[in-house]
Amino acid sequence: MLTLALSSLRSRPSRYATSFAALLCGAVLLMSFGSLLDTAGNDGVDAASSSVLLTMGLVVGGWSLLLVTFALTSMQTLHVRQRTAELALLRMAGATRAQLTRLVLGETVVLALIALAAALVPSIAAGRWIVSRLSESSLIAPTTAATFGGFAIHLGVGVTAVATVTAAVVATRRATASTVIAAATDASTESARVSRPLAVVAAVMLFLGVDLAIVTATVMRGVEGFDPMATGGPAAIWFSIGLALLAPVLVPRVTARLVAPFAGVGVTGHLAAMHLRRRTGQMAAAAMPTILFTGIALATLVMLAIDDAARVARGVAKTADYRNAETTNLLVIGMILAFAALMIVNTVVATTLQRRRELDQLGQIGFTASQRRALVAVEAAVVTAAGVAIGTVGSLATIIPFAIAREAMVPAEGVLVWLGVFAVAEVVAVTSAVLACQRLLVRGAHVGLQLGWLPAASPSRDLLSRREG
């Protein structure tokens, strides 16, 4: 099975591109913050600098660990689920479930090893950049030298291996439990449900988010400094993860309302509405990173806006140290949000590329390339809007309690922040979907031209001619 796994990786590298990107960026994020723990342990680092490095490495690195684990597990589960029909066919041909598990594990391990090797140099550079920013912000001594060692490597390797291998085993066992016909049906019309273990995990995440929200609104009320942020910020992360885990149930209900106006707008709108009502599993997978991106971005940015408004109302000026710490925190959160945005791209591209056969069939019955691109764009826009709506609910676990803690109203800038987050999520998702669709159309046109499937005046032939021109 290892030989077959290596052959699969060599013959179809594009299939694993999104998984590789997720593994690479996740490892970079983990190891870059893990390097702060290595730096804190250096002999020449003073006690104050070591405390800052340890705090940031453990707190921010801990949140990065949670998000990366969630993202890698979701991506691996999506990748295996898209191969349900293929794995079921191998099962019908005589392969045992253990053999198929070893096949997927072999692919996963090889891909993870390549990603970890490729992540070493970027991780070292990112770790040095974070240390330099902390030094420039006067949070640590300027003589502190960045170190990349055991903590960083063990964190990157350990989380990547555990998350991907566990997800591969669980997803493969589920995928190989179906017949070929059942697998094909499940791939296109998966029911909106959440397994009991997943529901329990989601409930725990939601509880932790509510608990931190209550602490922020009560214990931290009137407390100055960063302490209310330390409890209020993570509340949205926990709550958003809980909502993302419930996406198979929540997303179809939200998209059913959002897609209704498109149902009567031409054939493309009607087909998009029909697809969104049936593809609950794909919709949930595509919306999960958007929920996280929206929840974290909106909570962080609005929280800072509330803090600024409260300080202006009280006539309290920000000290230089406060501004430096705030800037550094924004840069760190920006790295996490960049990872979340990349996961949106990866998920949208993976779900779109999986629809090659469907898009080819639409072309054969008369859909033009523009109509197929519009179909994919509408579906991506609606699913992203659903993710933003759910993520907005998740962000309230931080926004409302922090406003109470600061005894201030949410400023009007919060609306502009929401519009900005919504616009970024929509642009990233729709652009990724359309570009992935365009790639499929061009590839299909090449194949059809070579095999003589395309007539002289077909839209696909015209598209291919313009592309080559």
Side-chain angles (χ1 to χ4, degrees):
M1 282 297 174
L2 179 59
T3 303
L4 183 58
L6 294 174
S7 176
S8 180
L9 287 170
R10 286 194 300 266
S11 60
R12 295 176 291 183
S14 60
R15 165 184 283 185
Y16 304 93
T18 53
S19 295
F20 176 79
L23 289 167
L24 175 64
C25 295
V28 170
L29 190 63
L30 288 172
M31 289 194 286
S32 60
F33 283 107
S35 68
L36 298 184
L37 302 177
D38 291 311
T39 304
N42 287 342
D43 294 334
V45 179
D46 60 275
S49 299
S50 178
S51 177
V52 172
L53 290 168
L54 285 173
T55 300
M56 182 162 287
L58 291 173
V59 176
V60 182
W63 289 118
S64 301
L65 185 151
L66 181 64
L67 294 173
V68 169
T69 301
F70 176 81
L72 293 182
T73 302
S74 301
M75 197 68 203
Q76 184 64 23
T77 302
L78 174 64
H79 177 69
V80 174
R81 188 176 63 197
Q82 290 177 339
R83 300 175 61 187
T84 299
E86 173 190 339
L87 295 175
L89 183 61
L90 290 173
R91 178 92 166 121
M92 295 292 290
T96 64
R97 294 178 68 178
Q99 288 175 322
L100 295 182
T101 300
R102 288 198 298 270
L103 169 64
V104 176
L105 276 179
E107 296 172 353
T108 301
V109 170
V110 172
L111 202 64
L113 290 176
I114 297 174
L116 287 168
L120 286 176
V121 174
S123 299
I124 295 173
R128 290 178 177 175
W129 178 79
I130 296 174
V131 171
S132 68
R133 285 301 308 169
L134 294 174
S135 177
E136 292 173 6
S137 300
S138 302
L139 294 176
I140 62 175
T143 56
T144 303
T147 302
F148 188 89
F151 276 114
I153 295 176
H154 283 87
L155 185 61
V157 173
V159 173
T160 302
V162 172
T164 54
V165 169
T166 302
V169 172
V170 174
T172 304
R173 288 182 62 85
R174 178 182 176 184
T176 55
S178 305
T179 63
V180 176
I181 297 177
T185 303
D186 181 70
S188 60
T189 59
E190 186 174 353
S191 60
R193 59 185 177 86
V194 177
S195 64
R196 183 173 298 178
L198 200 61
V200 172
V201 176
V204 172
M205 297 294 179
L206 294 174
F207 171 79
L208 292 174
V210 172
D211 182 59
L212 284 176
I214 293 174
V215 170
T216 303
T218 55
V219 178
M220 295 298 171
R221 186 169 185 174
V223 177
E224 297 294 334
F226 282 100
D227 288 342
M229 293 185 179
T231 57
I237 299 178
W238 286 115
F239 206 79
S240 296
I241 291 177
L243 293 176
L245 292 174
L246 297 176
V249 174
L250 299 176
V251 174
R253 287 165 172 74
V254 178
T255 53
R257 297 180 179 274
L258 296 177
V259 79
F262 294 96
V265 184
V267 177
T268 302
H270 177 76
L271 189 60
M274 183 181 68
H275 283 176
L276 290 172
R277 291 190 181 104
R278 296 180 59 193
R279 300 178 182 277
T280 56
Q282 292 181 359
M283 284 192 303
M288 289 171 75
T290 306
I291 295 172
L292 291 179
F293 174 80
T294 304
I296 297 172
L298 197 58
T300 302
L301 297 176
V302 175
M303 182 172 64
L304 293 176
I306 294 172
D307 187 59
D308 287 340
R311 286 180 171 275
V312 171
R314 297 174 185 176
V316 179
K318 293 182 178 180
T319 64
D321 290 341
Y322 191 94
R323 290 185 180 276
N324 291 336
E326 187 179 67
T327 301
T328 302
N329 286 335
L330 278 175
L331 291 174
V332 170
I333 292 297
M335 293 178 63
I336 296 176
L337 290 178
F339 176 76
L342 177 68
M343 292 309 301
I344 295 177
V345 174
N346 274 357
T347 306
V348 170
V349 170
T351 54
T352 303
L353 292 179
Q354 183 66 19
R355 302 175 62 182
R356 175 181 178 180
R357 181 177 180 182
E358 173 195 339
L359 293 173
D360 287 344
Q361 290 174 339
L362 289 175
Q364 292 172 11
I365 64 175
F367 271 70
T368 65
S370 297
Q371 287 177 318
R372 284 176 280 177
R373 286 194 297 269
L375 171 67
V376 170
V378 169
E379 293 177 5
V382 172
V383 172
T384 302
V388 170
I390 298 172
T392 300
V393 175
S395 70
L396 296 179
T398 287
I399 294 173
I400 295 176
F402 188 77
I404 295 174
R406 283 288 191 251
E407 299 178 344
M409 298 293 293
V410 178
E413 291 85 348
V415 177
L416 297 178
V417 171
W418 185 88
L419 291 174
V421 171
F422 176 76
V424 170
E426 286 286 358
V427 169
V428 169
V430 173
T431 302
S432 302
V434 171
L435 291 178
C437 178
Q438 178 71 8
R439 178 183 178 185
L440 289 179
L441 295 178
V442 172
R443 182 186 298 175
H446 275 290
V447 174
L449 184 63
Q450 292 172 1
L451 299 180
W453 292 346
L454 302 181
S458 70
S460 297
R461 183 182 288 275
D462 295 339
L463 173 67
L464 181 58
S465 299
R466 291 194 299 272
R467 171 86 175 193
E468 292 178 340

